[in-house]
Amino acid sequence: AQSVTQLGSHVSVSEGALVLLRCNYSSSVPPYLFWYVQYPNQGLQLLLKYTSAATLVKGINGFEAEFKKSETSFHLTKPSAHMSDAAEYFCAVRSYSSASKIIFGSGTRLSIRP
Amino acid sequence: EAGVAQSPRYKIIEKRQSVAFWCNPISGHATLYWYQQILGQGPKLLIQFQNNGVVDDSQLPKDRFSAERLKGVDSTLKIQPAKLEDSAVYLCASSFLGTGTGLYEQYFGPGTRLTVT
């Protein structure tokens, strides 16, 4: 069965610093992977998705993620953090048994220090 | 394009009471999902509809939770009776029904925050 593990429930960085949120996946087949962002009191919004094309995926708001099969990882990065990036971030994987079902990780809360 | 609408946004009830949540998906989206998001956790799928039929309800606590999507458009999720552990955010999402093995991006509503006291 597919699953994702997010390392670190809370990450804090200074404004302007590199953001790195970690996600490792488990899948018996080539995975489709996602990163979602959830701002306070809002629903989830898709940041980016990996569909087995380019291994480096660019998303909205300056975020990108790199698929590394050898490390079973799909870490999310942003070169320079902005105060508006403070939110909860979820890594997710598409279910093998159902193309329309996705399985979420437990989330990482990103805080930005002024 | 209007997004996924949910109501109410907040609800506080006492245990053993009943509660219902409403969701209106994006127009033309055949697939509708209800998720439960407990504080500090990722969303967990409760039930998935395709048009007005249930695709997956394997994680729905059927002794107290029910959901319907009678006309294949909007949907209601009900809890009766509520327990303390039902306190969570209930998210509704919808997606376009595609064909083949393509990705079906899910669009989320703002959620309903339920507090059971």
Side-chain angles (χ1 to χ4, degrees), chain A residues 35-77:
Chain A
W35 276 99
Y36 280 84
V37 61
Q38 185 177 31
Y39 298 103
N41 298 315
Q42 295 186 28
L44 279 71
Q45 179 184 3
L46 182 66
L47 269 179
L48 51 80
K49 58 189 177 188
Y50 167 74
T51 60
S52 74
T55 56
L56 182 63
V57 182
K58 294 188 182 299
I60 61 173
N61 302 336
F63 284 93
E64 61 182 35
E66 186 172 9
F67 174 76
K68 291 187 177 181
K69 183 178 178 180
S70 61
E71 299 177 8
T72 63
S73 69
F74 189 56
H75 301 332
L76 182 71
T77 60

mmCIF file of all heavy atoms in Angstrom, chain A residues 35-77:
data_model
loop_
_atom_site.group_PDB
_atom_site.id
_atom_site.type_symbol
_atom_site.label_atom_id
_atom_site.label_comp_id
_atom_site.label_asym_id
_atom_site.label_seq_id
_atom_site.Cartn_x
_atom_site.Cartn_y
_atom_site.Cartn_z
ATOM 1 N N TRP A 35 2.242 17.909 -3.127
ATOM 2 C CA TRP A 35 2.357 18.748 -1.948
ATOM 3 C C TRP A 35 1.166 19.697 -1.947
ATOM 4 O O TRP A 35 0.875 20.358 -2.952
ATOM 5 C CB TRP A 35 3.658 19.557 -1.945
ATOM 6 C CG TRP A 35 4.837 18.827 -1.405
ATOM 7 C CD1 TRP A 35 5.818 18.188 -2.103
ATOM 8 C CD2 TRP A 35 5.173 18.668 -0.022
ATOM 9 N NE1 TRP A 35 6.747 17.652 -1.243
ATOM 10 C CE2 TRP A 35 6.381 17.924 0.031
ATOM 11 C CE3 TRP A 35 4.586 19.078 1.181
ATOM 12 C CZ2 TRP A 35 7.001 17.585 1.235
ATOM 13 C CZ3 TRP A 35 5.205 18.741 2.366
ATOM 14 C CH2 TRP A 35 6.394 18.005 2.389
ATOM 15 N N TYR A 36 0.500 19.742 -0.765
ATOM 16 C CA TYR A 36 -0.610 20.659 -0.559
ATOM 17 C C TYR A 36 -0.237 21.623 0.564
ATOM 18 O O TYR A 36 0.507 21.276 1.482
ATOM 19 C CB TYR A 36 -1.877 19.907 -0.131
ATOM 20 C CG TYR A 36 -2.636 19.250 -1.252
ATOM 21 C CD1 TYR A 36 -2.278 17.997 -1.727
ATOM 22 C CD2 TYR A 36 -3.746 19.869 -1.821
ATOM 23 C CE1 TYR A 36 -2.993 17.389 -2.754
ATOM 24 C CE2 TYR A 36 -4.471 19.265 -2.842
ATOM 25 C CZ TYR A 36 -4.086 18.028 -3.300
ATOM 26 O OH TYR A 36 -4.796 17.435 -4.306
ATOM 27 N N VAL A 37 -0.833 22.829 0.527
ATOM 28 C CA VAL A 37 -0.648 23.803 1.586
ATOM 29 C C VAL A 37 -2.015 24.149 2.169
ATOM 30 O O VAL A 37 -3.018 24.183 1.449
ATOM 31 C CB VAL A 37 0.057 25.083 1.076
ATOM 32 C CG1 VAL A 37 -0.746 25.780 -0.012
ATOM 33 C CG2 VAL A 37 0.320 26.055 2.225
ATOM 34 N N GLN A 38 -2.032 24.342 3.493
ATOM 35 C CA GLN A 38 -3.274 24.719 4.165
ATOM 36 C C GLN A 38 -3.004 25.927 5.037
ATOM 37 O O GLN A 38 -2.293 25.826 6.042
ATOM 38 C CB GLN A 38 -3.807 23.552 4.999
ATOM 39 C CG GLN A 38 -5.154 23.828 5.643
ATOM 40 C CD GLN A 38 -5.695 22.628 6.407
ATOM 41 O OE1 GLN A 38 -4.935 21.829 6.957
ATOM 42 N NE2 GLN A 38 -7.007 22.476 6.419
ATOM 43 N N TYR A 39 -3.576 27.061 4.654
ATOM 44 C CA TYR A 39 -3.466 28.268 5.466
ATOM 45 C C TYR A 39 -4.503 28.210 6.581
ATOM 46 O O TYR A 39 -5.507 27.491 6.456
ATOM 47 C CB TYR A 39 -3.641 29.508 4.597
ATOM 48 C CG TYR A 39 -2.564 29.631 3.543
ATOM 49 C CD1 TYR A 39 -2.815 29.311 2.211
ATOM 50 C CD2 TYR A 39 -1.279 30.040 3.884
ATOM 51 C CE1 TYR A 39 -1.836 29.403 1.256
ATOM 52 C CE2 TYR A 39 -0.282 30.127 2.930
ATOM 53 C CZ TYR A 39 -0.568 29.806 1.616
ATOM 54 O OH TYR A 39 0.408 29.876 0.668
ATOM 55 N N PRO A 40 -4.291 28.936 7.659
ATOM 56 C CA PRO A 40 -5.224 28.870 8.797
ATOM 57 C C PRO A 40 -6.674 29.076 8.382
ATOM 58 O O PRO A 40 -6.992 29.993 7.621
ATOM 59 C CB PRO A 40 -4.710 29.997 9.701
ATOM 60 C CG PRO A 40 -3.257 30.096 9.388
ATOM 61 C CD PRO A 40 -3.144 29.820 7.918
ATOM 62 N N ASN A 41 -7.515 28.188 8.867
ATOM 63 C CA ASN A 41 -8.967 28.265 8.641
ATOM 64 C C ASN A 41 -9.356 28.177 7.163
ATOM 65 O O ASN A 41 -10.401 28.705 6.762
ATOM 66 C CB ASN A 41 -9.538 29.545 9.254
ATOM 67 C CG ASN A 41 -9.340 29.588 10.747
ATOM 68 O OD1 ASN A 41 -9.574 28.607 11.448
ATOM 69 N ND2 ASN A 41 -8.854 30.717 11.239
ATOM 70 N N GLN A 42 -8.523 27.533 6.378
ATOM 71 C CA GLN A 42 -8.831 27.349 4.959
ATOM 72 C C GLN A 42 -8.688 25.882 4.576
ATOM 73 O O GLN A 42 -8.130 25.077 5.321
ATOM 74 C CB GLN A 42 -7.909 28.215 4.092
ATOM 75 C CG GLN A 42 -8.091 29.709 4.277
ATOM 76 C CD GLN A 42 -7.266 30.506 3.296
ATOM 77 O OE1 GLN A 42 -6.964 30.044 2.194
ATOM 78 N NE2 GLN A 42 -6.900 31.715 3.695
ATOM 79 N N GLY A 43 -9.196 25.563 3.397
ATOM 80 C CA GLY A 43 -9.016 24.209 2.875
ATOM 81 C C GLY A 43 -7.630 24.036 2.295
ATOM 82 O O GLY A 43 -6.792 24.929 2.361
ATOM 83 N N LEU A 44 -7.377 22.873 1.730
ATOM 84 C CA LEU A 44 -6.074 22.575 1.149
ATOM 85 C C LEU A 44 -5.987 23.072 -0.283
ATOM 86 O O LEU A 44 -6.960 23.032 -1.033
ATOM 87 C CB LEU A 44 -5.832 21.063 1.157
ATOM 88 C CG LEU A 44 -5.355 20.450 2.467
ATOM 89 C CD1 LEU A 44 -6.452 20.445 3.506
ATOM 90 C CD2 LEU A 44 -4.835 19.038 2.229
ATOM 91 N N GLN A 45 -4.798 23.522 -0.644
ATOM 92 C CA GLN A 45 -4.541 24.022 -1.995
ATOM 93 C C GLN A 45 -3.340 23.281 -2.567
ATOM 94 O O GLN A 45 -2.328 23.123 -1.883
ATOM 95 C CB GLN A 45 -4.262 25.527 -1.948
ATOM 96 C CG GLN A 45 -3.967 26.168 -3.290
ATOM 97 C CD GLN A 45 -3.616 27.637 -3.161
ATOM 98 O OE1 GLN A 45 -3.527 28.182 -2.066
ATOM 99 N NE2 GLN A 45 -3.420 28.292 -4.285
ATOM 100 N N LEU A 46 -3.454 22.836 -3.810
ATOM 101 C CA LEU A 46 -2.356 22.109 -4.430
ATOM 102 C C LEU A 46 -1.190 23.037 -4.730
ATOM 103 O O LEU A 46 -1.353 24.063 -5.384
ATOM 104 C CB LEU A 46 -2.845 21.453 -5.730
ATOM 105 C CG LEU A 46 -1.815 20.607 -6.477
ATOM 106 C CD1 LEU A 46 -1.444 19.368 -5.650
ATOM 107 C CD2 LEU A 46 -2.344 20.182 -7.840
ATOM 108 N N LEU A 47 0.006 22.678 -4.236
ATOM 109 C CA LEU A 47 1.230 23.430 -4.510
ATOM 110 C C LEU A 47 1.906 22.928 -5.786
ATOM 111 O O LEU A 47 2.313 23.704 -6.634
ATOM 112 C CB LEU A 47 2.226 23.263 -3.364
ATOM 113 C CG LEU A 47 2.223 24.256 -2.212
ATOM 114 C CD1 LEU A 47 3.294 23.857 -1.208
ATOM 115 C CD2 LEU A 47 2.443 25.676 -2.709
ATOM 116 N N LEU A 48 2.048 21.599 -5.861
ATOM 117 C CA LEU A 48 2.698 20.998 -7.029
ATOM 118 C C LEU A 48 2.419 19.505 -7.035
ATOM 119 O O LEU A 48 1.954 18.942 -6.039
ATOM 120 C CB LEU A 48 4.205 21.272 -7.018
ATOM 121 C CG LEU A 48 4.995 20.963 -5.750
ATOM 122 C CD1 LEU A 48 5.321 19.499 -5.620
ATOM 123 C CD2 LEU A 48 6.281 21.788 -5.701
ATOM 124 N N LYS A 49 2.738 18.872 -8.181
ATOM 125 C CA LYS A 49 2.509 17.435 -8.299
ATOM 126 C C LYS A 49 3.586 16.810 -9.175
ATOM 127 O O LYS A 49 4.099 17.443 -10.115
ATOM 128 C CB LYS A 49 1.127 17.148 -8.886
ATOM 129 C CG LYS A 49 0.883 17.768 -10.256
ATOM 130 C CD LYS A 49 -0.583 17.630 -10.666
ATOM 131 C CE LYS A 49 -0.840 18.323 -12.005
ATOM 132 N NZ LYS A 49 -2.293 18.364 -12.342
ATOM 133 N N TYR A 50 3.935 15.580 -8.884
ATOM 134 C CA TYR A 50 4.899 14.811 -9.662
ATOM 135 C C TYR A 50 4.152 13.680 -10.364
ATOM 136 O O TYR A 50 3.450 12.894 -9.731
ATOM 137 C CB TYR A 50 5.973 14.223 -8.750
ATOM 138 C CG TYR A 50 6.815 13.181 -9.444
ATOM 139 C CD1 TYR A 50 7.775 13.556 -10.379
ATOM 140 C CD2 TYR A 50 6.632 11.829 -9.182
ATOM 141 C CE1 TYR A 50 8.531 12.597 -11.035
ATOM 142 C CE2 TYR A 50 7.384 10.878 -9.828
ATOM 143 C CZ TYR A 50 8.328 11.262 -10.760
ATOM 144 O OH TYR A 50 9.066 10.320 -11.402
ATOM 145 N N THR A 51 4.356 13.613 -11.716
ATOM 146 C CA THR A 51 3.610 12.620 -12.496
ATOM 147 C C THR A 51 4.528 11.775 -13.354
ATOM 148 O O THR A 51 4.137 11.314 -14.428
ATOM 149 C CB THR A 51 2.583 13.328 -13.391
ATOM 150 O OG1 THR A 51 3.301 14.208 -14.282
ATOM 151 C CG2 THR A 51 1.603 14.138 -12.581
ATOM 152 N N SER A 52 5.760 11.575 -12.905
ATOM 153 C CA SER A 52 6.753 10.732 -13.571
ATOM 154 C C SER A 52 7.352 11.363 -14.816
ATOM 155 O O SER A 52 7.961 10.675 -15.615
ATOM 156 C CB SER A 52 6.184 9.350 -13.922
ATOM 157 O OG SER A 52 5.290 9.435 -15.014
ATOM 158 N N ALA A 53 7.193 12.651 -14.974
ATOM 159 C CA ALA A 53 7.870 13.357 -16.071
ATOM 160 C C ALA A 53 9.191 13.899 -15.506
ATOM 161 O O ALA A 53 10.040 13.126 -15.107
ATOM 162 C CB ALA A 53 6.982 14.452 -16.619
ATOM 163 N N ALA A 54 9.357 15.176 -15.443
ATOM 164 C CA ALA A 54 10.582 15.764 -14.904
ATOM 165 C C ALA A 54 10.691 15.485 -13.417
ATOM 166 O O ALA A 54 9.701 15.556 -12.692
ATOM 167 C CB ALA A 54 10.603 17.268 -15.153
ATOM 168 N N THR A 55 11.887 15.175 -12.938
ATOM 169 C CA THR A 55 12.061 14.872 -11.515
ATOM 170 C C THR A 55 12.040 16.129 -10.658
ATOM 171 O O THR A 55 11.766 16.043 -9.464
ATOM 172 C CB THR A 55 13.374 14.121 -11.278
ATOM 173 O OG1 THR A 55 14.456 14.899 -11.803
ATOM 174 C CG2 THR A 55 13.344 12.765 -11.956
ATOM 175 N N LEU A 56 12.348 17.277 -11.233
ATOM 176 C CA LEU A 56 12.264 18.537 -10.496
ATOM 177 C C LEU A 56 10.966 19.222 -10.904
ATOM 178 O O LEU A 56 10.770 19.561 -12.068
ATOM 179 C CB LEU A 56 13.472 19.424 -10.809
ATOM 180 C CG LEU A 56 13.514 20.757 -10.046
ATOM 181 C CD1 LEU A 56 13.619 20.508 -8.537
ATOM 182 C CD2 LEU A 56 14.690 21.606 -10.533
ATOM 183 N N VAL A 57 10.110 19.413 -9.926
ATOM 184 C CA VAL A 57 8.783 19.945 -10.197
ATOM 185 C C VAL A 57 8.671 21.340 -9.583
ATOM 186 O O VAL A 57 8.975 21.522 -8.407
ATOM 187 C CB VAL A 57 7.691 19.045 -9.594
ATOM 188 C CG1 VAL A 57 6.315 19.591 -9.917
ATOM 189 C CG2 VAL A 57 7.838 17.623 -10.100
ATOM 190 N N LYS A 58 8.237 22.266 -10.382
ATOM 191 C CA LYS A 58 8.045 23.635 -9.888
ATOM 192 C C LYS A 58 6.566 23.866 -9.616
ATOM 193 O O LYS A 58 5.707 23.448 -10.400
ATOM 194 C CB LYS A 58 8.575 24.641 -10.902
ATOM 195 C CG LYS A 58 10.086 24.563 -11.086
ATOM 196 C CD LYS A 58 10.606 25.692 -11.946
ATOM 197 C CE LYS A 58 12.107 25.557 -12.162
ATOM 198 N NZ LYS A 58 12.863 25.612 -10.879
ATOM 199 N N GLY A 59 6.294 24.552 -8.497
ATOM 200 C CA GLY A 59 4.918 24.810 -8.131
ATOM 201 C C GLY A 59 4.643 26.294 -7.980
ATOM 202 O O GLY A 59 5.399 27.135 -8.467
ATOM 203 N N ILE A 60 3.570 26.570 -7.273
ATOM 204 C CA ILE A 60 3.195 27.968 -7.080
ATOM 205 C C ILE A 60 3.966 28.568 -5.917
ATOM 206 O O ILE A 60 4.549 27.848 -5.096
ATOM 207 C CB ILE A 60 1.676 28.089 -6.824
ATOM 208 C CG1 ILE A 60 1.268 27.338 -5.551
ATOM 209 C CG2 ILE A 60 0.895 27.586 -8.027
ATOM 210 C CD1 ILE A 60 -0.170 27.560 -5.143
ATOM 211 N N ASN A 61 3.977 29.893 -5.866
ATOM 212 C CA ASN A 61 4.585 30.635 -4.762
ATOM 213 C C ASN A 61 6.079 30.363 -4.580
ATOM 214 O O ASN A 61 6.605 30.523 -3.481
ATOM 215 C CB ASN A 61 3.863 30.347 -3.435
ATOM 216 C CG ASN A 61 2.388 30.694 -3.497
ATOM 217 O OD1 ASN A 61 1.962 31.518 -4.304
ATOM 218 N ND2 ASN A 61 1.597 30.049 -2.662
ATOM 219 N N GLY A 62 6.764 29.972 -5.651
ATOM 220 C CA GLY A 62 8.210 29.775 -5.600
ATOM 221 C C GLY A 62 8.675 28.455 -5.020
ATOM 222 O O GLY A 62 9.874 28.238 -4.832
ATOM 223 N N PHE A 63 7.769 27.556 -4.738
ATOM 224 C CA PHE A 63 8.131 26.245 -4.202
ATOM 225 C C PHE A 63 8.493 25.269 -5.326
ATOM 226 O O PHE A 63 7.989 25.372 -6.431
ATOM 227 C CB PHE A 63 6.978 25.654 -3.385
ATOM 228 C CG PHE A 63 6.821 26.268 -2.021
ATOM 229 C CD1 PHE A 63 5.958 27.341 -1.830
ATOM 230 C CD2 PHE A 63 7.532 25.780 -0.941
ATOM 231 C CE1 PHE A 63 5.819 27.923 -0.588
ATOM 232 C CE2 PHE A 63 7.398 26.345 0.315
ATOM 233 C CZ PHE A 63 6.539 27.418 0.490
ATOM 234 N N GLU A 64 9.357 24.342 -4.998
ATOM 235 C CA GLU A 64 9.670 23.251 -5.907
ATOM 236 C C GLU A 64 9.979 22.003 -5.101
ATOM 237 O O GLU A 64 10.255 22.075 -3.903
ATOM 238 C CB GLU A 64 10.833 23.595 -6.835
ATOM 239 C CG GLU A 64 12.142 23.887 -6.159
ATOM 240 C CD GLU A 64 13.213 24.275 -7.171
ATOM 241 O OE1 GLU A 64 12.900 24.929 -8.189
ATOM 242 O OE2 GLU A 64 14.385 23.935 -6.929
ATOM 243 N N ALA A 65 9.909 20.862 -5.766
ATOM 244 C CA ALA A 65 10.197 19.591 -5.102
ATOM 245 C C ALA A 65 10.938 18.699 -6.083
ATOM 246 O O ALA A 65 10.712 18.751 -7.296
ATOM 247 C CB ALA A 65 8.910 18.915 -4.642
ATOM 248 N N GLU A 66 11.817 17.882 -5.553
ATOM 249 C CA GLU A 66 12.602 16.974 -6.386
ATOM 250 C C GLU A 66 12.292 15.532 -6.026
ATOM 251 O O GLU A 66 12.378 15.136 -4.854
ATOM 252 C CB GLU A 66 14.090 17.232 -6.225
ATOM 253 C CG GLU A 66 14.945 16.400 -7.176
ATOM 254 C CD GLU A 66 16.409 16.789 -7.158
ATOM 255 O OE1 GLU A 66 16.811 17.583 -6.283
ATOM 256 O OE2 GLU A 66 17.158 16.285 -8.024
ATOM 257 N N PHE A 67 11.936 14.759 -7.030
ATOM 258 C CA PHE A 67 11.668 13.326 -6.848
ATOM 259 C C PHE A 67 12.996 12.583 -6.941
ATOM 260 O O PHE A 67 13.701 12.675 -7.952
ATOM 261 C CB PHE A 67 10.705 12.832 -7.922
ATOM 262 C CG PHE A 67 10.481 11.350 -7.909
ATOM 263 C CD1 PHE A 67 9.672 10.771 -6.947
ATOM 264 C CD2 PHE A 67 11.079 10.523 -8.861
ATOM 265 C CE1 PHE A 67 9.455 9.401 -6.932
ATOM 266 C CE2 PHE A 67 10.870 9.159 -8.839
ATOM 267 C CZ PHE A 67 10.050 8.596 -7.874
ATOM 268 N N LYS A 68 13.338 11.839 -5.886
ATOM 269 C CA LYS A 68 14.558 11.028 -5.866
ATOM 270 C C LYS A 68 14.170 9.587 -5.568
ATOM 271 O O LYS A 68 13.909 9.224 -4.408
ATOM 272 C CB LYS A 68 15.530 11.557 -4.819
ATOM 273 C CG LYS A 68 16.125 12.914 -5.159
ATOM 274 C CD LYS A 68 17.211 13.300 -4.160
ATOM 275 C CE LYS A 68 17.869 14.626 -4.541
ATOM 276 N NZ LYS A 68 18.943 15.017 -3.593
ATOM 277 N N LYS A 69 14.187 8.784 -6.627
ATOM 278 C CA LYS A 69 13.772 7.392 -6.476
ATOM 279 C C LYS A 69 14.709 6.620 -5.559
ATOM 280 O O LYS A 69 14.266 5.809 -4.740
ATOM 281 C CB LYS A 69 13.710 6.718 -7.851
ATOM 282 C CG LYS A 69 13.216 5.295 -7.826
ATOM 283 C CD LYS A 69 13.135 4.722 -9.232
ATOM 284 C CE LYS A 69 12.671 3.273 -9.200
ATOM 285 N NZ LYS A 69 12.599 2.696 -10.569
ATOM 286 N N SER A 70 16.020 6.878 -5.678
ATOM 287 C CA SER A 70 16.994 6.137 -4.880
ATOM 288 C C SER A 70 16.816 6.395 -3.391
ATOM 289 O O SER A 70 17.155 5.555 -2.559
ATOM 290 C CB SER A 70 18.406 6.530 -5.308
ATOM 291 O OG SER A 70 18.624 7.919 -5.097
ATOM 292 N N GLU A 71 16.282 7.553 -3.041
ATOM 293 C CA GLU A 71 16.075 7.909 -1.641
ATOM 294 C C GLU A 71 14.597 7.835 -1.239
ATOM 295 O O GLU A 71 14.278 8.113 -0.083
ATOM 296 C CB GLU A 71 16.595 9.331 -1.383
ATOM 297 C CG GLU A 71 18.075 9.504 -1.654
ATOM 298 C CD GLU A 71 18.560 10.926 -1.461
ATOM 299 O OE1 GLU A 71 17.765 11.760 -0.969
ATOM 300 O OE2 GLU A 71 19.722 11.210 -1.804
ATOM 301 N N THR A 72 13.746 7.445 -2.157
ATOM 302 C CA THR A 72 12.275 7.445 -1.965
ATOM 303 C C THR A 72 11.830 8.739 -1.287
ATOM 304 O O THR A 72 11.068 8.731 -0.326
ATOM 305 C CB THR A 72 11.793 6.212 -1.165
ATOM 306 O OG1 THR A 72 12.355 6.233 0.147
ATOM 307 C CG2 THR A 72 12.148 4.934 -1.873
ATOM 308 N N SER A 73 12.315 9.860 -1.826
ATOM 309 C CA SER A 73 11.998 11.146 -1.215
ATOM 310 C C SER A 73 11.367 12.094 -2.209
ATOM 311 O O SER A 73 11.532 11.964 -3.431
ATOM 312 C CB SER A 73 13.259 11.771 -0.615
ATOM 313 O OG SER A 73 14.158 12.168 -1.640
ATOM 314 N N PHE A 74 10.661 13.069 -1.667
ATOM 315 C CA PHE A 74 10.014 14.117 -2.470
ATOM 316 C C PHE A 74 9.971 15.363 -1.589
ATOM 317 O O PHE A 74 8.923 15.824 -1.184
ATOM 318 C CB PHE A 74 8.619 13.658 -2.900
ATOM 319 C CG PHE A 74 7.952 14.561 -3.912
ATOM 320 C CD1 PHE A 74 8.556 14.855 -5.120
ATOM 321 C CD2 PHE A 74 6.703 15.101 -3.653
ATOM 322 C CE1 PHE A 74 7.943 15.670 -6.057
ATOM 323 C CE2 PHE A 74 6.064 15.924 -4.581
ATOM 324 C CZ PHE A 74 6.690 16.201 -5.779
ATOM 325 N N HIS A 75 11.135 15.901 -1.288
ATOM 326 C CA HIS A 75 11.244 17.029 -0.375
ATOM 327 C C HIS A 75 10.839 18.334 -1.045
ATOM 328 O O HIS A 75 11.131 18.567 -2.224
ATOM 329 C CB HIS A 75 12.676 17.166 0.153
ATOM 330 C CG HIS A 75 13.167 15.960 0.884
ATOM 331 N ND1 HIS A 75 12.340 15.085 1.552
ATOM 332 C CD2 HIS A 75 14.438 15.473 1.041
ATOM 333 C CE1 HIS A 75 13.046 14.125 2.095
ATOM 334 N NE2 HIS A 75 14.319 14.321 1.797
ATOM 335 N N LEU A 76 10.230 19.210 -0.278
ATOM 336 C CA LEU A 76 9.744 20.513 -0.763
ATOM 337 C C LEU A 76 10.733 21.597 -0.347
ATOM 338 O O LEU A 76 11.158 21.629 0.821
ATOM 339 C CB LEU A 76 8.364 20.806 -0.168
ATOM 340 C CG LEU A 76 7.684 22.105 -0.600
ATOM 341 C CD1 LEU A 76 7.231 22.006 -2.060
ATOM 342 C CD2 LEU A 76 6.484 22.400 0.309
ATOM 343 N N THR A 77 11.080 22.475 -1.276
ATOM 344 C CA THR A 77 12.021 23.540 -0.952
ATOM 345 C C THR A 77 11.553 24.872 -1.510
ATOM 346 O O THR A 77 10.760 24.934 -2.451
ATOM 347 C CB THR A 77 13.432 23.240 -1.519
ATOM 348 O OG1 THR A 77 13.343 23.114 -2.953
ATOM 349 C CG2 THR A 77 14.017 21.978 -0.944
#
